[in-house]
């Protein structure tokens, strides 16, 4: 499968624990995006990387959230001290960049905080 | 920031009928408008998109129209089939700054096609 992949697909954690998600974009896509989707809503932008540089962060991204893309390939999203309000689907998307705007989504990681 | 509104929130049609979903956006700098289809438990799937330099784009049974002056765009599905049943999301990009075309999504339309 040459599409965007995410791991894990599901994560159940207790409040206060830290969690980390991974996203592998489509090969050669230099732009990578993280979105969050709650039930019945559209995805909401969290952050964006062009290669290894994190160029934009949403105000939705509190200090407990951090994202990295160390070598400009895969990316990780870490949530520290999880809260019940963090329960959501975390989606990753990638695009080729430049004039290629199309974003392709991964299957998402569903986080449940108990 | 960008605000995207989508209507209706639910749409029920008979198989073979047409379906139209409408979206409005607020940021005049937006220049890219994709539509995604999301089936239950699956990833959003890009089905069609349009850029601000054209007014209409068609791909088989799916078409999208854009009115830049009025800041609205619409998805048209003709000859609907049961497999078209899903949630459809419109989106608009941020056309300026460092956001690399981050997307703002509408609230979604649940389309149900009755056989």
């Amino acid at each position: 499968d040459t599409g965007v992949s995410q791991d894990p697909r599901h994560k159940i954690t207790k409040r206060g624990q830290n969690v980390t998600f991974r996203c592998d974009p489509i090969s050669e896509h230099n732009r990578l995006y993280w979105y969050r989707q709650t039930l019945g809503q559209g995805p909401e932008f969290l952050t964006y990387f062009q290669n290894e540089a994190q160029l934009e962060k949403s105000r939705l991204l509190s200090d407990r959230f951090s994202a990295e893309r160390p070598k400009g390939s895969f990316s990780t999203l870490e949530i520290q001290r999880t809260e019940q309000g963090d329960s959501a689907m975390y989606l990753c998307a990638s695009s080729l960049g430049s004039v290629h705007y199309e974003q392709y989504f991964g299957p998402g990681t569903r986080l449940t905080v108990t | 920031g960008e605000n995207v509104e989508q209507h209706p929130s639910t749409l029920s049609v008979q198989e073979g009928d047409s379906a139209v979903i409408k979206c409005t956006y607020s940021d005049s700098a937006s220049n890219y408008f994709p539509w995604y289809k999301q089936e239950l438990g699956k990833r959003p799937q890009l089905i069609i998109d349009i850029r601000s330099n054209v007014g209409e784009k068609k791909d088989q049974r799916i078409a999208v129209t854009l009115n830049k002056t009025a800041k609205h765009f619409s998805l048209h599905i003709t000859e609907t089939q049961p497999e078209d049943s899903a949630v459809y999301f419109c989106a608009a990009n941020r056309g300026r700054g460092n956001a690399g075309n981050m997307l703002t999504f509408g609230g979604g339309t649940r389309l149900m096609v009755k056989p």
Side-chain angles (χ1 to χ4, degrees):
Chain A
D1 186 356
T2 56
V4 179
S5 61
Q6 292 185 246
D7 184 70
R9 297 290 305 277
H10 303 273
K11 179 71 177 179
I12 300 174
T13 191
K14 292 187 177 178
R15 191 175 53 190
Q17 297 294 304
N18 299 344
V19 293
T20 300
F21 310 141
R22 175 178 170 129
C23 170
D24 286 87
I26 294 172
S27 179
E28 296 178 357
H29 278 196
N30 64 18
R31 293 184 177 179
L32 187 147
Y33 306 80
W34 285 98
Y35 292 86
R36 179 169 66 189
Q37 186 177 29
T38 53
L39 204 60
Q41 302 296 317
E44 293 176 296
F45 170 77
L46 293 178
T47 191
Y48 149 69
F49 290 86
Q50 179 159 307
N51 299 312
E52 66 276 7
Q54 186 175 18
L55 296 186
E56 186 86 8
K57 288 170 62 171
S58 164
R59 285 188 292 269
L60 291 175
L61 216 63
S62 77
D63 292 344
R64 296 184 298 105
F65 287 70
S66 62
E68 294 183 339
R69 194 182 183 197
K71 296 183 181 179
S73 57
F74 72 92
S75 175
T76 58
L77 178 68
E78 181 183 17
I79 309 174
Q80 296 183 324
R81 305 181 303 281
T82 52
E83 301 172 356
Q84 286 190 319
D86 297 331
S87 296
M89 176 74 84
Y90 289 84
L91 291 164
C92 174
S94 70
S95 70
L96 192 54
S98 185
V99 298
H100 302 279
Y101 294 176
E102 300 82 359
Q103 293 185 28
Y104 298 95
F105 281 85
T109 295
R110 180 166 295 286
L111 173 66
T112 302
V113 182
T114 62
Chain B
E2 175 75 277
N3 184 43
V4 177
E5 296 200 353
Q6 183 170 346
H7 300 280
S9 56
T10 59
L11 180 59
S12 181
V13 300
Q14 209 66 36
E15 181 178 359
D17 287 350
S18 295
V20 180
I21 302 170
K22 298 182 179 182
C23 287
T24 59
Y25 63 98
S26 59
D27 188 352
S28 57
S30 295
N31 58 6
Y32 174 67
F33 308 91
W35 286 88
Y36 286 85
K37 174 184 180 182
Q38 188 173 30
E39 297 175 80
L40 192 61
K42 297 196 173 178
R43 73 186 76 192
Q45 179 189 2
L46 179 65
I47 56 171
I48 195 167
D49 55 17
I50 191 167
R51 301 200 184 195
S52 58
N53 57 348
V54 297
E56 184 174 356
K57 183 176 177 181
K58 199 170 181 180
D59 182 4
Q60 299 181 14
R61 297 186 297 108
I62 294 174
V64 58
T65 57
L66 171 66
N67 183 325
K68 279 170 42 182
T69 304
K71 294 199 193 113
H72 67 71
F73 56 112
S74 300
L75 177 71
H76 305 252
I77 306 174
T78 57
E79 300 170 24
T80 53
Q81 300 168 2
E83 50 266 37
D84 294 330
S85 296
V87 179
Y88 290 79
F89 292 100
C90 64
N93 73 332
R94 184 199 289 181
R96 54 185 147 212
N98 280 331
N101 293 308
M102 59 158 275
L103 299 175
T104 300
F105 285 81
T109 296
R110 180 172 300 280
L111 174 64
M112 293 169 284
V113 181
K114 296 185 233 179

